Amino acid sequence: MAKEYYDCRKILAEDSTYNVVIGQRSNGKTYGFIEEALGEYCENGYPSVYIRRYDESITSANIFKLCAPHIDSLIVMSEGRWNNFEYKNRTFFPTRIGKNGKLEERGEPFLYCVGLNSWEHKKGQDRGFVKYIIFDEFLTRDTYLNDEYPKFMNLLSSFIRDRVGTTIVMLGNTVNKFCPYFAKFKINIKEIKQGFIYNFRYGETTLSLEYCKPSSNTSKVNKKY
């Protein structure tokens, strides 16, 4: 039986500024949105941003698996121009690797990777328009950063600036449904049911939230332990 992965097109069809998706680990949330960002890049040339809470999550040793599953899609979407990714200076670039294994061509940045804990100390130049800003694992069973919500808002402002059209994505697992973001967005997560999309409005800002149903391809916990 083919595996079923999360389809992000349904929540994106709501056309909200913020898109919050919570669900079981390994149900394909991250995969779906990176694939969507890749399609936007190959079609329109727009890069995206990938955020984790801590820098160690975006080191070369930990991060390359983020884009590796999308190499086949990259080849198809780019019509064969690109056939691999390179991760350099916390940025993923599409590349063309020749039959001899050497780099023949490197494209413009596809995905900027950011550690929220150090962003304020590493602000750089304006990178231009970005299509998606994806905050992965925004829910945690550990502690949140001091003043995490303002830091996240400042990061968004640094990338978006005065441009419009960027879509913000926040992905979390169901290990902990209580976090400062729900309080700031005035969402009572206890009232959110699985399998539905809820829409919220804050003046001109809109937010869609989906609590995913359990996926058939997520592993079950060993009840003995």
Side-chain angles (χ1 to χ4, degrees):
M1 181 180 296
K3 291 184 177 181
E4 297 179 3
Y5 290 105
Y6 174 76
D7 186 353
C8 65
R9 292 173 295 181
K10 186 176 180 181
I11 192 170
L12 290 176
E14 301 293 331
D15 197 28
S16 291
T17 306
Y18 289 84
N19 298 266
V20 181
V21 181
I22 56 177
Q24 287 181 311
R25 186 179 298 275
S26 301
N27 74 340
K29 300 184 298 295
T30 304
Y31 179 93
F33 281 102
I34 296 298
E35 186 83 354
E36 183 73 18
L38 181 61
E40 185 69 31
Y41 175 84
C42 290
E43 182 175 353
N44 298 312
Y46 297 138
S48 293
V49 180
Y50 179 79
I51 304 171
R52 293 293 295 270
R53 182 167 283 104
Y54 296 105
D55 280 345
E56 53 262 35
S57 299
I58 58 171
T59 61
S60 297
N62 295 326
I63 197 68
F64 193 77
K65 61 184 179 182
L66 177 70
C67 286
H70 302 272
I71 291 176
D72 287 343
S73 296
L74 173 66
I75 295 171
V76 173
M77 292 180 184
S78 69
E79 298 181 342
R81 179 179 180 182
W82 311 115
N83 60 10
N84 212 331
F85 291 103
E86 179 183 38
Y87 187 63
K88 182 178 181 181
N89 297 328
R90 298 192 175 186
T91 304
F92 279 98
F93 300 85
T95 60
R96 177 71 188 176
I97 305 299
K99 294 182 179 179
N100 58 2
K102 294 184 178 181
L103 176 66
E104 293 183 347
E105 186 180 4
R106 178 190 297 112
E108 294 297 315
F110 155 55
L111 193 66
Y112 300 107
C113 297
V114 177
L116 184 59
N117 66 316
S118 65
W119 173 248
E120 290 184 327
H121 306 293
K122 299 178 180 178
K123 293 180 182 178
Q125 76 281 5
D126 184 4
R127 294 171 174 82
F129 176 75
V130 295
K131 178 56 183 176
Y132 294 104
I133 297 180
I134 304 169
F135 187 3
D136 204 0
E137 297 195 21
F138 81 99
L139 296 174
T140 179
R141 65 177 67 187
D142 298 318
T143 57
Y144 291 87
L145 302 176
N146 291 330
D147 297 321
E148 178 164 325
Y149 181 79
K151 289 178 180 177
F152 179 54
M153 291 295 112
N154 287 336
L155 188 155
L156 296 181
S157 296
S158 296
F159 275 102
I160 298 173
R161 298 181 183 253
D162 59 351
R163 292 177 285 263
V164 295
T166 296
T167 299
I168 300 157
V169 176
M170 302 173 69
L171 308 177
N173 303 316
T174 55
V175 293
N176 185 352
K177 295 181 289 184
F178 304 94
C179 75
Y181 295 97
F182 294 138
K184 293 294 184 180
F185 290 133
K186 298 180 180 180
I187 296 172
N188 184 353
I189 197 64
K190 294 180 180 180
E191 297 179 352
I192 302 300
K193 298 180 180 180
Q194 286 184 308
F196 295 91
I197 293 178
Y198 296 79
N199 293 310
F200 303 85
R201 178 174 290 276
Y202 316 90
E204 296 182 2
T205 302
T206 52
L207 180 149
S208 293
L209 183 151
E210 181 177 8
Y211 185 7
C212 304
K213 288 184 177 180
S215 173
S216 61
N217 54 285
T218 52
S219 59
K220 296 182 179 180
V221 175
N222 188 329
K223 294 182 179 180
K224 180 178 179 180
Y225 298 95

